[in-house]
C-alpha cells in the first residue's frame, strides 16, 4: 500500500526533528538505555571509583541525597552516607541503591542525568550500545540536505546525548547530516517561545521551519509560534485522538514528506 504523500510548504528552509518516537523508536530509551544503567552501574562505579569524573558524579549524588533527606523526599535507607568508608564496596552499594531508587521514581535530577550520561558515553564509545534510527530517516534527511534544506535536532535529551546517539548509530556516524542541535537549554518543548528562539538562533522565520514530533503538546506549541508541523505516528507512540488526527498532518514515515518542486 502506497503511503499518502504530504506536501511540504514551498517556503520551507529548515527541518526540525524530535528524536524519541520520531527518528528513533520510543523503546530505545526504555528497553536499551535505562536497562544498561541498571545492569552495569555497580561494575562502572567499581571500575572508575578513584577517577575524578566518577568522584564528581558521586559527590553530586550525595548532595542530592542530603537535599532529599532535608525535604523528606527520601527515607534514611536511600540517603548516601557521607562518612568515609574503609569498605569501598559498602560505599558503592549505597550509591547503587540511591541511583536505582531515583530511576524507579522516574526522577530527572542533574546528579542522576550526569552519571547516566557518562555511562552511556562509555557504552557508545566501546560499541556496547548503538543509537537506533528508523530506516526511513537517513535517506529522507540526505534528500532534504541535497535540496539545500537545513536539518536540526530538538530533543529534551542533552546535546551531548543526541550526538552520541547519532554519532554511534546502527547506521554509523550520522552527525554530518545535521546543521545543529538544540536541547531544553533553549526552553521547554511545550512552550512556543522555545520555537521562536530556535528560529532566531538558526536565522530564519518560524514559518520556514517544518517540525516533526510525535507529541501533540509540542506540535501545538510549535504551531502557536508559526512553525509548520507534522505529527509522526510510530509503533508504540501515544495514540492520537480523532480531533488530533483531523487537525495535524500525520505521517508514519519520513518518506511521505514531499518537497514541492523537487523530483
Amino acid at each position: 500500500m502506497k503511503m499518502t504523500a504530504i506536501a511540504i510548504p514551498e517556503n520551507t528552509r529548515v527541518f526540525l526533528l524530535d528524536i524519541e518516537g520520531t527518528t528513533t523508536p520510543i523503546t530505545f530509551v526504555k528497553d536499551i538505555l535505562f536497562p544498561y544503567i541498571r545492569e552495569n552501574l555497580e561494575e562502572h562505579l567499581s571500575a572508575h571509583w578513584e577517577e575524578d569524573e566518577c568522584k564528581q558524579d558521586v559527590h553530586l549524588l550525595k548532595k542530592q541525597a542530603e537535599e532529599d533527606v532535608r525535604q523528606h523526599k527520601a527515607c534514611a535507607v536511600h540517603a548516601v552516607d557521607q562518612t568515609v568508608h574503609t569498605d569501598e564496596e559498602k560505599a558503592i552499594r549505597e550509591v547503587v541503591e540511591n541511583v536505582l531508587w531515583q530511576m524507579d521514581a522516574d526522577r530527572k535530577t542533574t546528579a542522576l542525568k550526569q552519571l547516566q550520561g557518562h555511562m552511556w558515553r562509555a557504552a557508545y564509545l566501546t560499541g556496547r550500545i548503538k543509537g537506533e534510527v528508523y530506516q526511513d530517516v537517513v535517506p529522507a534527511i540526505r534528500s532534504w540536505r541535497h535540496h539545500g534544506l537545513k536539518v536540526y535536532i530538538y530533543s529534551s535529551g542533552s546535546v551531548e546525548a543526541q550526538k552520541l546517539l547519532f554519532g554511534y548509530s546502527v547506521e554509523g556516524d550520522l552527525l554530518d547530516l545535521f546543521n545543529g542541535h538544540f536541547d531544553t537549554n533553549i526552553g521547554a518543548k511545550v512552550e512556543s517561545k522555545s520555537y521562536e528562539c530556535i528560529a532566531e538562533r538558526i536565522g530564519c522565520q518560524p514559518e520556514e521551519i517544518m517540525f516533526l514530533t510525535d507529541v501533540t503538546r509540542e506540535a501545538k506549541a510549535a504551531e502557536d509560534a508559526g512553525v509548520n508541523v507534522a505529527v509522526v505516528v510510530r509503533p508504540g507512540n501515544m495514540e492520537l485522538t480523532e480531533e488530533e488526527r483531523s487537525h495535524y498532518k500525520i505521517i508514519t514515515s519520513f518518506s511521505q514528506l514531499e518537497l514541492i518542486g523537487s523530483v
Side-chain angles (χ1 to χ4, degrees):
M1 186 182 95
K2 191 178 186 310
M3 291 180 288
T4 318
I6 304 279
I8 297 305
E10 212 160 344
N11 63 338
T12 303
R13 289 173 49 202
V14 172
F15 276 96
L16 184 63
L17 311 177
D18 164 56
I19 294 180
E20 216 180 313
T22 300
T23 65
T24 297
I26 220 154
T27 50
F28 176 65
V29 174
K30 191 166 63 61
D31 296 346
I32 306 289
L33 290 185
F34 286 143
Y36 178 83
I37 302 290
R38 291 177 182 278
E39 288 156 22
N40 295 281
L41 182 56
E42 195 155 350
E43 179 196 325
H44 171 85
L45 291 168
S46 301
H48 303 285
W49 192 251
E50 292 303 326
E51 294 166 24
D52 286 347
E53 187 175 81
C54 187
K55 283 180 176 172
Q56 173 64 20
D57 290 345
V58 171
H59 175 69
L60 272 186
L61 287 164
K62 283 183 175 177
K63 284 180 76 105
Q64 180 65 53
E66 288 163 17
E67 184 59 31
D68 288 342
V69 169
R70 268 200 297 279
Q71 295 186 11
H72 308 294
K73 280 187 185 167
C75 45
V77 70
H78 295 123
V80 179
D81 195 341
Q82 189 61 49
T83 58
V84 178
H85 289 285
T86 46
D87 184 357
E88 187 181 291
E89 277 183 10
K90 188 175 177 216
I92 288 172
R93 198 134 312 137
E94 286 181 349
V95 176
V96 168
E97 190 176 273
N98 178 270
V99 168
L100 295 181
W101 170 73
Q102 287 202 56
M103 288 178 71
D104 289 341
D106 197 26
R107 299 187 78 193
K108 306 272 192 276
T109 63
T110 304
L112 178 64
K113 282 171 87 169
Q114 181 170 304
L115 173 69
Q116 288 173 332
H118 290 152
M119 285 185 65
W120 287 327
R121 182 184 63 201
Y124 279 116
L125 290 171
T126 56
R128 289 176 76 177
I129 288 180
K130 286 189 192 305
E132 289 182 25
V133 181
Y134 281 113
Q135 283 184 325
D136 54 273
V137 170
V138 175
I141 296 176
R142 288 199 200 286
S143 165
W144 302 337
R145 291 297 303 268
H146 177 71
H147 286 96
L149 284 97
K150 292 183 170 178
V151 182
Y152 290 83
I153 293 289
Y154 181 29
S155 170
S156 47
S158 70
V159 167
E160 187 191 10
Q162 296 173 29
K163 288 182 173 177
L164 287 169
L165 193 157
F166 291 111
Y168 298 91
S169 86
V170 287
E171 304 212 27
D173 183 353
L174 303 175
L175 289 176
D176 64 338
L177 294 180
F178 304 107
N179 296 88
H181 299 257
F182 298 99
D183 58 21
T184 48
N185 281 318
I186 200 137
K189 294 178 78 184
V190 292
E191 289 170 12
S192 59
K193 184 91 182 76
S194 307
Y195 299 88
E196 291 165 22
C197 291
I198 286 173
E200 204 174 307
R201 188 77 63 85
I202 291 172
C204 69
Q205 296 303 312
E207 54 272 19
E208 293 174 314
I209 298 175
M210 184 78 191
F211 177 49
L212 307 184
T213 180
D214 61 312
V215 180
T216 51
R217 280 180 70 209
E218 295 172 6
K220 183 182 183 327
E223 215 174 38
D224 289 347
V227 169
N228 292 298
V229 173
V231 172
V232 185
V233 174
R234 302 279 198 186
N237 284 9
M238 189 87 76
E239 283 292 320
L240 301 181
T241 64
E242 276 308 310
E243 193 183 345
E244 287 166 342
R245 281 186 172 278
S246 59
H247 178 78
Y248 294 107
K249 290 175 175 158
I250 305 288
I251 61 168
T252 56
S253 166
F254 282 18
S255 63
Q256 286 170 262
L257 297 168
E258 233 171 45
L259 303 174
I260 296 174
S262 72
V263 181

